[in-house]
Amino acid sequence: MIIYGTNGAHRSTQPLPGIACPECATPDQLHLSVFSRYTHIYWIPLFPYKKPVVGQCLHCQRAWDEKEMPGELKPLATALKKQTRALWWHWSGLVALALLAVWSVVMSQRDSRDNATYITAPRVGDVYTVRQEDSTGKAQYSLMKVVGAGANSVELVANEYVTNDATPLSKLNDPEKYSKEPFPLTFLDLQVMMNKGEITDVDRLGE
Ligand SMILES: [Zn+2]
């Protein structure tokens, strides 16, 4: 379950000297207060979305929200709202999400660059994630491991297990789970499989 919602923080309160209360006519008792509303997820502020202004008379306690604000207070409320900025930390969740998105793009670019490099120069120990579709068209994933590398071909052993997990490495990469019968593929075969999306990832463990 994701816990999210909204919260508010008081930003500032300004007295309005010289203005009489529209309700009780007492002068110098009106105040305007600005709040900042923000959304949160697990109580981490995500982004601010509203700055409500409330007017109040300290004498008669009458309060007005923006909708019912008396005409003479309206421009003052708008001005106060304009000069009140949201707190920087009300953006912290969104900033963190943006950083996370940038990081994952960088990592995935790095991963595909590594894949392209590894597939053209295989080394013993490289593990390929292999994607196949079953009879119903559902993707199944397995692994192939390089056990011998020549000048333009490799010896591979196939993993004997499949999973519908697109990242089967941690689940299937156990020496016991590989066939004992190696088979050859040329570098070109590997490249073709990669271009066709039959090899979806190359892991050079320890790098
Ligand atoms: Zn009043």
Side-chain angles (χ1 to χ4, degrees), residues 20-26 29-30 56-62 64:
C21 171
E23 189 78 10
C24 69
T26 311
Q29 291 299 306
L30 289 177
Q56 197 181 12
C57 169
L58 295 184
H59 181 74
C60 70
Q61 301 302 321
R62 172 74 213 259
W64 300 267

